[in-house]
Amino acid sequence: MSQEREKPSIGQRIVERFKAPETLADLLLTVKAVVAATTAWALAVGVLGSEVAFMAPWTALLTVHATVHRSLSRGAQTTVSSAVGMALAFVIIQVLGINIWTFALALLIGLLGARLSWIRDEGVAIATTAIFIFTSQDPMFLDRTMELLLGVAVGIVVNLLVVPPLRDRQAARYVDSINRRMGDVLKDMSEELAESWDTDRADAWKAETDSMSEELNSAWQTVKLARESQRENPRSIMMRRKPDDPDEVSYEEILGRVDEGISHLRNLTRTLRDAPYDVGSWDEQFRQQWIAIVHDAGVAIAAPEQEVQPLLDRLLQLSSDMSTAENLPHIQWPTYGALISSLRHILTIVDDVASAQEVRES
């Protein structure tokens, strides 16, 4: 039976989690939000001379988002929503005065306005801005408008200048993680098949492929965010490839191939689950050679910088050897053929993905 792999310690997991691109991106976003809000507050107090400078830091916080494109679009929505909220509060205060009923009316209209599709993401700012105006002793609408524009401007500038986020590393991390997991499954297969095994192991491998598919779904979401992070991003413009450079390999193509690899690995586990689990019923020549190839394939896939072409050549040779076996009618050739075919597809796909990553990282 396969030996249990050593699990990383709690400290190692914490360090690994902290070093993850998504964690660093979240921390950076937090720092930028603090910088933007603090800068907006300082400018509102020091430059505009605001005595109650709440609008500037609040809108700056609302404007700092995970991507530059989102900061620009959400910043525009925040500006419009807050301006509408101030206008709403001004009209109600001037016409009906300030009391519990006018406060409720302002909230009702503000929340209904938040449902408008073109400001849906930041539409609630209509109601919250009305609350700020109603609860301040002196609304000073002109000052609040200046603070609003200042906060939005500071939020956008900070997101543009302070390491604008590019999410490519996160997408690449998902691909590398899935490659390692596929390699681990294949190595586990080789260790189990070297001795007697039962179908429970095949079920465990299938469950692992299902988990890989879930991780792949997260990778797709990250790729969508990565595409958005490249829009209106100065880092993306500066890093753009020259016209005579090779075409960039898209993450969509890479993840599509990874999805195919997971599907073939799942087919491989199903074939093993349906195959005779008594080692004695397997052809010994096939079993020994195929297990050795599976083990080496797992090592190569877990570390994709290794060449897989020699493994493909060994699979081709194994297929040729088995096709000329004298006892061909008496062995489980359909099963063996399916195992060889699935493993060949996996190796080909992983090789394509590794090559695509090389092109991308260069």
Side-chain angles (χ1 to χ4, degrees):
M1 300 293 289
S2 61
Q3 297 179 351
E4 186 178 356
R5 296 181 181 84
E6 183 179 353
K7 294 182 178 180
S9 64
I10 296 178
Q12 290 174 326
R13 290 199 297 268
I14 292 175
V15 172
E16 184 68 19
R17 180 64 179 173
F18 181 80
K19 292 168 60 178
E22 52 267 30
T23 301
L24 295 178
D26 288 340
L27 289 175
L28 178 61
L29 186 62
T30 300
V31 171
K32 288 199 293 186
V34 172
V35 170
T38 303
T39 302
W41 178 81
L43 290 174
V45 173
V47 178
L48 299 182
S50 299
E51 295 181 1
V52 186
F54 57 82
M55 186 66 73
W58 176 66
T59 52
L61 280 177
L62 293 181
T63 305
V64 177
H65 285 280
T67 67
V68 173
H69 171 75
R70 198 170 296 182
S71 285
L72 290 170
S73 62
R74 296 288 184 85
Q77 292 185 40
T78 298
T79 302
V80 172
S81 299
S82 298
V84 171
M86 282 191 288
L88 173 64
F90 175 80
V91 170
I92 292 178
I93 290 174
Q94 295 300 318
V95 175
L96 301 176
I98 300 178
N99 56 62
I100 188 172
W101 303 109
T102 55
F103 181 84
L105 177 62
L107 282 184
L108 175 62
I109 297 176
L111 292 176
L112 291 176
R115 269 59 180 177
L116 296 174
S117 59
W118 52 282
I119 58 170
R120 184 181 297 274
D121 292 329
E122 301 294 343
V124 72
I126 298 176
T128 52
T129 302
I131 292 175
F132 288 154
I133 299 300
F134 263 80
T135 55
S136 69
Q137 293 181 349
D138 186 356
M140 294 184 295
F141 292 99
L142 180 59
D143 290 347
R144 299 291 86 81
T145 302
M146 294 298 295
E147 293 174 15
L148 162 65
L149 297 176
L150 174 64
V152 171
V154 169
I156 291 175
V157 169
V158 167
N159 217 16
L160 278 169
L161 298 182
V162 183
V163 195
L166 287 171
R167 299 302 182 105
D168 292 355
R169 287 181 58 206
Q170 288 177 244
R173 185 182 179 88
Y174 278 115
V175 173
D176 294 338
S177 172
I178 294 174
N179 277 347
R180 287 193 298 270
R181 295 176 68 179
M182 291 175 65
D184 289 341
V185 168
L186 290 175
K187 286 188 289 185
D188 191 38
M189 281 183 182
S190 67
E191 294 169 0
E192 290 290 338
L193 293 171
E195 305 175 9
S196 298
W197 65 291
D198 55 47
T199 55
D200 289 342
R201 293 303 306 157
D203 292 335
W205 297 329
K206 182 182 179 300
E208 180 68 4
T209 62
D210 293 338
S211 177
M212 292 179 203
S213 295
E214 294 177 2
E215 185 173 5
L216 187 64
N217 290 334
S218 299
W220 277 113
Q221 296 300 320
T222 300
V223 166
K224 292 178 181 178
L225 188 60
R227 288 290 170 258
E228 182 180 304
S229 72
Q230 294 171 356
R231 299 172 63 182
E232 296 93 28
N233 192 318
R235 287 177 63 200
S236 179
I237 295 173
M238 290 186 294
M239 297 168 59
R240 188 168 294 164
R241 293 176 181 268
K242 299 178 181 179
D244 56 348
D245 283 346
D247 292 334
E248 293 186 19
V249 178
S250 71
Y251 279 110
E252 289 81 0
E253 294 177 6
I254 293 175
L255 294 185
R257 293 295 280 164
V258 171
D259 191 24
E260 292 180 41
I262 295 174
S263 296
H264 286 294
L265 182 59
R266 186 176 293 115
N267 288 335
L268 180 60
T269 62
R270 287 171 178 166
T271 301
L272 287 173
R273 185 182 59 190
D274 297 336
Y277 59 86
D278 181 9
V279 173
S281 65
W282 286 51
D283 181 81
E284 191 61 23
Q285 176 186 0
F286 174 84
R287 189 179 71 87
Q288 291 183 357
Q289 293 188 43
W290 190 79
I291 288 175
I293 297 173
V294 169
H295 176 271
D296 294 344
V299 173
I301 291 173
E305 67 275 4
Q306 298 191 25
E307 293 290 333
V308 300
Q309 185 57 47
L311 296 172
L312 291 169
D313 294 338
R314 287 166 61 185
L315 275 178
L316 180 62
Q317 184 61 48
L318 175 60
S319 178
S320 177
D321 293 343
M322 296 306 300
S323 65
T324 59
E326 295 181 357
N327 61 335
L328 182 61
H330 306 292
I331 62 178
Q332 300 288 334
W333 182 240
T335 298
Y336 300 158
L339 295 176
I340 291 174
S341 178
S342 294
L343 186 56
R344 180 175 62 83
H345 285 306
I346 293 171
L347 288 171
T348 301
I349 289 169
V350 170
D351 188 43
D352 291 344
V353 170
S355 300
Q357 285 182 282
E358 250 181 55
V359 172
R360 186 188 67 235
E361 290 169 358
S362 65

